[in-house]
Amino acid sequence: QVQLVESGGGLVQAGGSLRLSCVASGRISSINAMGALGWYRWYRQAPGKQRELVASITSGSTTSYADSVKGRFTIARDNAKNTVYLQMNDLKPEDTAVYYCNAVVRSASYWGQGTQVTVSS
């Protein structure tokens, strides 16, 4: 079992930056598997909209991004700290959403509780 806890959300003006963190914890064997094999993804869900994939990073640190955030967001992982980050720059009001961390390892999928990001115009 893996537990995920996100942090770093908040209220920011348009053009500002935030860095989200997602820390994984749980059984040592599960955490070690996450570091070696796991993929991480950040999703977001705005009010009245479906959850959408924002960014992902593979076990080999290959990254991919939604078109709407390319060039502004950066996903990174630190396996020594069991943490994945989402650096968000040049934020726009349309980035306002609850951001969720998702971890996938050995066909198991885990979710965090979400962190609110609000961008004011």
Side-chain angles (χ1 to χ4, degrees), residues 32-86:
N32 288 342
M34 275 304 308
L37 304 171
W39 289 38
Y40 286 101
R41 298 181 175 100
W42 284 97
Y43 287 80
R44 66 186 181 187
Q45 187 166 20
K49 295 188 176 181
Q50 288 190 330
R51 190 171 296 189
E52 63 171 342
L53 177 62
V54 175
S56 64
I57 186 165
T58 70
S59 55
S61 294
T62 299
T63 59
S64 62
Y65 300 91
D67 287 343
S68 58
V69 306
K70 278 181 182 176
R72 300 188 297 121
F73 289 12
T74 302
I75 188 171
R77 62 190 291 165
D78 185 339
N79 290 335
K81 296 182 178 180
N82 304 320
T83 302
V84 63
Y85 304 97
L86 185 67

